[in-house]
Amino acid sequence: MAVCARLCGVGQSRRCRRRQRHNQQDQGSDSDMDEEEEERIVGKGRFDAGACGGPERGVAATAGPSDACEYGSGRVNTGGFLDRTSTGPPHPQSLAELPPELLVEIFSLLPGTTLSNVALVCKKFRQLLKTETIWRRRCIEEFGMREDLRKVEARGVTSQDLYVKLLYPYRHILGLWQPDIGPYGGLLNVVVDGLFIIGWMYLPPHDPRVEDPMRRRPLFQIHMMESNKATVECMYGHKGPHKGDIQTVKKDEFSTKCNQTDHHRMPGGRQEEFRTWLEEEWGRTLEEIFHEHMQELILMKFIYTSQYDNCLTYRRIYLPPAKPSDLLQPGLFKGTYGSHGLEIVMLSFHGMSARATKLTGDPNVPAGQLTLDVNLCRPVVLPDLEQQCNIEELSRLVMGVHEEVQREQEQKENGTSATGRCAAEGACGGSSAAEEIESDHGACSDSCDSSHSSRSNPETQPFVLPMGVMARNEEYPRTCRKCFYGTGLIAGHGFTSPERTPGLFVLFDKDRFGFIWLELKSFSLYSRLTDNLPHAHAPDLERFEAMLRNMQSWTS
């Protein structure tokens, strides 16, 4: 505490402490050297008696050029301390004695969360912390504000107010979130945009144009335009911004509430609201959708989602962590799901498996569920184009791998009992089940290694969908890099009787992949979401997997 007080220039008088030390020296005290004594010795080392020629005899020169040379007229008394009667400028003895411009530079390097403590040290620090350059730098470095903050200040809002009253209090809601909208889920991205914090709901492109960019719709905004405090507004509906509220439920979870739900209503009633929603969601009218089952699904989604009136709870989600060994860059993709339209999935890698988790879902397989599970140890070699057109030939290849995987799983389940039996028998002559499992693991690792080596130099091969396989988008790639065995999750309405069915994972390029659902005779094409997603930091793999487990529990 004495050191901190000395640095800040507060606390006990340094001269009083030196007088006490001199008295102790006069009394012959031989106590251990404290920090003040160390300062005295360093001062002696820097002292040069005349023309800075070198250190005094018997004193170690540990500080380079002396202070006397630096200031020209500095003197040191017989006790080794700076003479206060010297005419040269004194060396700063505390942080508070530094020039103001240097203190401003130091404070601007500190995190904004610590500046409130710095202001409590003394009046000088509190006054310096009103300098706009400090808070300008904090806004740019901590929140990535790109625009010229001087223009913001010209509107009457200081950078300090922007940081203290808007950015810092709402920093915990920045990033990616999944709204709790039953089986449908969603993707919300909260970002800083000038004087605003905006929550954008991401919507997939209109079916079936999977490679089109994502669409966005603002759900809420927080700003400081009309007053000197942050204002929350609901953006849902068609009558412009209106009063809203944001509440933090717990860590990594918050909720929004609209205080004027009448702004969500339209003059034409529910029919006009449905037609407007359908145009935004699907890009067409109900008369243009001829499939009766699809019409039912669309109407069901409108009735379910419109009842929330933007009063929603959001849970934080993370982007998956990436590793150099991954088959392709993990991230978010939009894919086709038959009559349900386009949905958003998150592709991540876990050892030698690739998994796609739904961020948006449907009444059959809801958001948060593992839609695809790909075994990267099981590559599938495609036949020539003529045989690829035959669904029976493709089914034979995939089902052959599926049966092998099932046999391995049965052996693993029986492996514990088989190993215990062999241990009881002692030195049995034949090979045990455990040894067979080990050989299977070795073969799997060999195939995985060959798969890894092929990734560094990918070679494309012709690809065509088999006859009879339905595809929402006929403009799929005609060449692919690799194919792997995988399973897809299917279920009845209301997520009843869920089961994993075998299929073929097809890697087209670094931004596209597909999956052939053999049982459904359907093909899904996935394209990467390329939008910039700030504040969506990927945690370590352990925390990411815990997040995936929580997502499944939300909708199970």
Side-chain angles (χ1 to χ4, degrees):
M1 292 300 294
V3 176
C4 296
R6 189 173 73 255
L7 287 175
C8 296
V10 297
Q12 286 185 335
S13 170
R14 291 188 296 280
R15 294 185 178 181
C16 293
R17 296 187 61 183
R18 287 171 180 167
R19 207 162 29 241
Q20 293 173 4
R21 187 167 58 251
H22 283 305
N23 293 336
Q24 291 176 358
Q25 290 175 352
D26 294 339
Q27 295 173 6
S29 174
D30 57 349
S31 61
D32 293 339
M33 180 181 63
D34 61 2
E35 294 171 351
E36 292 287 347
E37 296 239 353
E38 186 178 0
E39 179 182 338
R40 178 177 62 81
I41 291 178
V42 172
K44 262 192 172 184
R46 290 183 176 182
F47 169 66
D48 190 346
C52 307
E56 281 189 353
R57 185 177 180 180
V59 180
T62 59
S66 69
D67 290 341
C69 290
E70 181 178 357
Y71 295 118
S73 60
R75 288 193 171 191
V76 177
N77 59 22
T78 56
F81 300 100
L82 187 66
D83 190 354
R84 298 292 179 179
T85 62
S86 61
T87 59
H91 191 76
Q93 298 296 311
S94 69
L95 188 63
E97 294 178 8
L98 292 175
E101 59 272 15
L102 185 56
L103 286 174
V104 168
E105 180 65 22
I106 293 173
F107 294 161
S108 65
L109 296 174
L110 298 177
T113 54
T114 65
L115 295 181
S116 58
N117 294 329
V118 175
L120 298 176
V121 174
C122 60
K123 290 182 178 180
K124 179 179 180 179
F125 287 5
R126 186 161 59 251
Q127 287 297 117
L128 288 175
L129 285 174
K130 296 179 181 180
T131 307
E132 282 297 284
T133 54
I134 298 175
W135 300 100
R136 235 180 261 137
R137 188 165 182 174
R138 290 298 92 217
C139 292
I140 294 173
E141 293 187 359
E142 295 184 20
F143 298 98
M145 298 194 68
R146 302 296 182 187
E147 67 177 60
D148 189 354
L149 287 171
R150 290 182 177 85
K151 296 180 180 178
V152 175
E153 295 162 9
R155 300 177 182 176
V157 179
T158 65
S159 296
Q160 182 177 2
D161 285 342
L162 187 65
Y163 185 96
V164 173
K165 298 180 180 180
L166 178 66
L167 300 179
Y168 181 76
Y170 291 98
R171 70 195 184 283
H172 59 279
I173 69 171
L174 299 177
L176 290 180
W177 303 83
Q178 186 179 43
D180 184 8
I181 314 180
Y184 298 103
L187 179 64
L188 180 82
N189 187 27
V190 184
V191 298
V192 178
D193 186 3
L195 285 174
F196 294 83
I197 292 178
I198 304 178
W200 293 100
M201 179 68 82
Y202 274 70
L203 305 173
H206 292 140
D207 182 57
R209 300 191 294 270
V210 68
E211 296 190 23
D212 285 0
M214 295 287 290
R215 298 175 294 126
R216 300 189 309 172
R217 182 176 65 196
L219 290 189
F220 63 84
Q221 66 180 16
I222 314 169
H223 64 84
M224 295 183 60
M225 294 293 291
E226 300 175 356
S227 62
N228 201 25
K229 64 179 182 179
T231 302
V232 180
E233 293 180 335
C234 175
M235 302 290 288
Y236 190 78
H238 304 275
K239 295 183 179 180
H242 46 283
K243 291 183 180 180
D245 189 24
I246 290 180
Q247 297 178 345
T248 302
V249 180
K250 56 183 178 181
K251 183 181 179 181
D252 294 336
E253 186 174 322
F254 76 95
S255 62
T256 57
K257 180 182 178 181
C258 178
N259 298 330
Q260 294 176 297
T261 55
D262 55 298
H263 280 64
H264 305 171
R265 309 282 82 86
M266 300 189 72
R270 297 289 280 176
Q271 290 186 352
E272 183 181 357
E273 293 173 14
F274 175 66
R275 285 195 298 268
T276 305
W277 175 88
L278 185 61
E279 181 66 27
E280 293 178 352
E281 190 83 8
W282 290 82
R284 64 185 80 174
T285 63
L286 194 63
E287 291 75 20
E288 296 173 338
I289 302 174
F290 302 105
H291 200 289
E292 184 177 350
H293 179 57
M294 182 179 289
Q295 291 180 351
E296 294 176 354
L297 292 174
I298 292 173
L299 185 59
M300 183 187 308
K301 184 175 182 179
F302 168 75
I303 295 174
Y304 192 96
T305 57
S306 60
Q307 66 180 336
Y308 285 92
D309 271 336
N310 204 23
C311 299
L312 298 169
T313 299
Y314 300 88
R315 300 181 179 93
R316 184 179 293 280
I317 57 177
Y318 302 103
L319 291 178
K323 301 186 294 295
S325 59
D326 291 340
L327 183 67
L328 71 160
Q329 179 73 18
L332 305 184
F333 291 78
K334 43 195 184 293
T336 56
Y337 279 87
S339 300
H340 299 292
L342 300 186
E343 298 183 8
I344 305 173
V345 303
M346 176 186 291
L347 180 69
S348 57
F349 291 89
H350 310 261
M352 290 312 301
S353 66
R355 299 172 186 171
T357 305
K358 281 191 171 186
L359 297 184
T360 61
D362 51 69
N364 291 73
V365 179
Q369 296 301 316
L370 183 63
T371 178
L372 300 180
D373 191 359
V374 183
N375 191 337
L376 300 179
C377 286
R378 295 293 180 176
V380 176
V381 180
L382 294 178
D384 56 35
L385 282 177
E386 184 177 353
Q387 289 183 316
Q388 286 185 36
C389 294
N390 187 353
I391 184 65
E392 300 298 332
E393 177 63 20
L394 182 62
S395 297
R396 184 186 65 80
L397 290 174
V398 175
M399 292 307 297
V401 179
H402 180 65
E403 292 172 0
E404 290 180 6
V405 172
Q406 286 185 321
R407 284 196 299 268
E408 286 184 4
Q409 290 177 347
E410 292 176 359
Q411 289 176 353
K412 288 179 181 178
E413 292 173 358
N414 300 329
T416 304
S417 58
T419 304
R421 227 175 17 251
C422 288
E425 291 175 0
C428 54
S431 61
S432 64
E435 292 173 347
E436 293 177 2
I437 294 175
E438 285 296 326
S439 64
D440 290 339
H441 282 306
C444 179
S445 63
D446 292 341
S447 64
C448 291
D449 292 339
S450 63
S451 174
H452 273 295
S453 62
S454 64
R455 292 174 205 170
S456 58
N457 186 21
E459 296 180 359
T460 60
Q461 56 181 321
F463 173 80
V464 64
L465 284 177
M467 298 292 294
V469 174
M470 298 178 295
R472 298 287 297 174
N473 195 331
E474 295 294 337
E475 298 179 359
Y476 63 88
R478 293 305 193 269
T479 58
C480 67
R481 294 182 180 178
K482 294 287 293 184
C483 296
F484 295 92
Y485 160 80
T487 59
L489 182 62
I490 61 175
H493 186 82
F495 199 42
T496 56
S497 305
E499 62 173 320
R500 306 209 68 87
T501 179
L504 183 69
F505 176 88
V506 185
L507 175 62
F508 295 115
D509 51 45
K510 64 182 181 66
D511 293 325
R512 291 178 297 178
F513 64 88
F515 191 81
I516 299 178
W517 309 72
L518 291 181
E519 184 173 335
L520 302 178
K521 293 185 177 180
S522 176
F523 172 72
S524 293
L525 176 64
Y526 299 84
S527 178
R528 185 181 298 277
L529 193 154
T530 58
D531 297 60
N532 181 33
L533 302 173
H535 306 288
H537 308 293
D540 55 72
L541 186 59
E542 182 179 354
R543 288 181 59 195
F544 178 77
E545 290 179 342
M547 180 206 72
L548 292 181
R549 290 191 296 270
N550 292 334
M551 288 177 62
Q552 294 180 8
S553 66
W554 298 338
T555 56
S556 297

